[in-house]
Amino acid sequence: RGNEFLEYQKRIMGAGRLLAAENGNYIGQSPPWGYNKIRVKEGKRYCHTLEPDPEQAPLVVQIFEWYSQGIGTTSIADRLNALHVPAPRGPEWYANSINMMLRNEHYLGKVVWNKRKAVRRVENGQVVVSNPLAEKYLVYPGKHPAIVTQELWDRAQAVRGRQSRKRKDTRSVSFLFQRNSPCGE
């Protein structure tokens, strides 16, 4: 009976989180970089939402501008590190941090639900849980203001679709095919 109650409780709490997302409340643990998580009172209830951070929000817009101009994520991370901008987590900025920011719909003033749903599978007799990005997820209008305009978002997403990926420390292999090379022409 205890397990049945636990499953029932999980279902009820999941429905509550879904309802909060539908109402535009922010239900994540930590806010996206550029926002602060605040608690506001609506009627008799309190709910969580986001407000733009006055120091970080202009940098979010700058990141989207740089990317829409064709500057890669590694170069953006290097620029932010050179400007000594504090990273969201850890000592410095990385290309993956920038890439995740460019995919985050919260910057448009929206709330996302089930973007990373837990997937359980059995490997070698052990249950392995992973959180891959879902292809289909729910997006609702949020109560928080947007930092990035729809036009800037669309420009950045268009660049994301066509930009090639190249590691920073790679070098060209054209030196192998020089005329004086013993490898041939």
Side-chain angles (χ1 to χ4, degrees):
R1 291 182 64 83
N3 196 24
E4 291 174 6
F5 178 74
L6 178 64
E7 294 301 319
Y8 169 75
Q9 193 70 22
K10 285 183 191 177
R11 227 175 25 248
I12 296 298
M13 291 178 75
R17 285 191 293 270
L18 177 60
L19 182 62
E22 287 175 357
N23 290 335
N25 300 330
Y26 181 73
I27 54 176
Q29 285 284 340
S30 58
W33 196 82
Y35 281 109
N36 294 320
K37 186 175 175 181
I38 60 170
R39 200 173 107 167
V40 294
K41 188 171 185 177
E42 289 186 349
K44 295 182 179 181
R45 296 180 180 217
Y46 286 96
C47 63
H48 293 276
T49 188
L50 302 169
E51 71 176 359
D53 185 300
E55 295 176 5
Q56 296 175 351
L59 289 169
V60 171
V61 174
Q62 186 64 54
I63 289 168
F64 274 85
E65 285 286 344
W66 283 335
Y67 193 77
S68 64
Q69 293 168 3
I71 299 171
T73 55
T74 304
S75 299
I76 293 172
D78 291 341
R79 285 184 183 193
L80 293 172
N81 288 329
L83 293 171
H84 303 291
V85 175
R89 293 176 185 84
E92 60 185 24
W93 286 89
Y94 296 102
N96 192 40
S97 305
I98 304 298
N99 206 3
M100 294 303 285
M101 284 180 72
L102 295 169
R103 283 191 250 168
N104 194 344
E105 287 96 347
H106 286 98
Y107 295 118
L108 280 174
K110 301 191 185 286
V111 176
V112 179
W113 178 251
N114 273 350
K115 190 169 187 176
R116 286 192 173 267
K117 193 172 184 177
V119 176
R120 292 174 177 82
R121 63 182 183 279
V122 177
E123 289 182 4
N124 300 329
Q126 299 287 329
V127 177
V128 178
V129 180
S130 64
N131 294 322
L133 284 171
E135 292 179 17
K136 293 184 179 181
Y137 51 91
L138 304 173
V139 179
Y140 299 105
K143 293 179 181 173
H144 59 281
I147 292 179
V148 176
T149 63
Q150 184 69 45
E151 176 196 352
L152 182 56
W153 172 268
D154 291 339
R155 282 191 290 151
Q157 299 312 306
V159 171
R160 273 191 70 233
R162 67 173 189 253
Q163 201 156 40
S164 65
R165 296 180 183 169
K166 182 180 173 186
R167 289 180 51 180
K168 181 181 174 185
D169 59 347
T170 59
R171 59 185 181 151
S172 177
V173 292
S174 62
F175 69 91
L176 292 175
F177 302 105
Q178 294 175 351
R179 292 195 187 272
N180 298 334
S181 174
C183 296
E185 295 181 24

